Amino acid sequence: MPEPDNRHVVTLEINGTRKTVAVEARKLLVHLIREDLGLTGTHVGCDTSQCGACTVEIDGLAIKSCTVLAVMADGASITTIEGLTDTGAELNPVQAAFHEHHALQCGFCTPGMVMSVRQLLKDQPNPSEHDIRHGLAGNICRCTGYHNIVRAIESLASKGDQP
């Protein structure tokens, strides 16, 4: 329901914590996450849904948060890269595989890539190299050439270690 200053109240669960925020109707979810909630692990790369750097899980599905208005997330459960581990805890299996196989360089794409890989492995627990490359088609990495990213996912899938 619009507030007098043309803002809308959005209540969502983010990384297990319930939050209520007043936002403009045109605000993108990625900006709510970064600016209003201070969770800067979700990156803004292109604002056109091409790069995948802003990928988060919304109600268990990997979604590019630059394609969702914040008001559309009212009532949703959202997991960002920060929600995968507690401070000081072990890395999430996808993060650990990326680390082990040197599947990152600058790290800008990594949060969105990790969130997308989690979805890929939920959908296809034992993907082929072709499946992996196809599954990552919506994520752009300018540094690694994808070779080590693919190897990290193959290794993770071969262990049956689900994210």
Side-chain angles (χ1 to χ4, degrees):
M1 179 155 102
E3 294 293 318
D5 65 355
N6 203 24
R7 295 169 71 81
H8 299 263
V9 175
V10 175
T11 300
L12 46 83
E13 181 181 303
I14 188 145
N15 300 330
T17 302
R18 185 178 167 96
K19 298 283 185 178
T20 300
V21 183
V23 297
E24 291 183 27
R26 64 185 180 180
K27 186 168 215 158
L28 295 174
L29 179 60
V30 67
H31 296 299
L32 167 74
I33 291 168
R34 290 181 56 82
E35 297 163 10
D36 298 330
L37 302 178
L39 299 170
T40 57
T42 302
H43 294 157
V44 177
C46 65
D47 267 339
T48 61
S49 77
Q50 300 298 308
C51 75
C54 67
T55 303
V56 298
E57 291 177 7
I58 303 175
D59 294 330
L61 295 173
I63 306 287
K64 294 175 183 177
S65 60
C66 74
T67 66
V68 178
L69 294 170
V71 294
M72 295 168 65
D74 190 32
S77 176
I78 299 170
T79 303
T80 68
I81 193 74
E82 291 93 344
L84 298 186
T85 59
D86 293 325
T87 303
E90 289 185 25
L91 294 174
N92 171 276
V94 178
Q95 292 169 312
F98 271 52
H99 180 268
E100 179 182 340
H101 293 275
H102 309 287
L104 56 96
Q105 286 183 22
C106 82
F108 190 82
C109 72
T110 305
M113 193 75 72
V114 166
M115 301 308 280
S116 294
V117 168
R118 287 169 46 88
Q119 183 71 52
L120 170 66
L121 292 175
K122 285 180 200 174
D123 294 343
Q124 296 179 281
N126 193 23
S128 67
E129 180 177 346
H130 173 78
D131 294 334
I132 293 168
R133 290 185 183 278
H134 181 73
L136 296 178
N139 293 79
I140 296 173
C141 175
R142 292 181 160 194
C143 299
T144 69
Y146 301 92
H147 180 75
N148 290 345
I149 295 170
V150 172
R151 298 299 162 250
I153 299 165
E154 287 175 330
S155 172
L156 187 60
S158 73
K159 293 177 186 175
D161 197 2
Q162 293 304 305

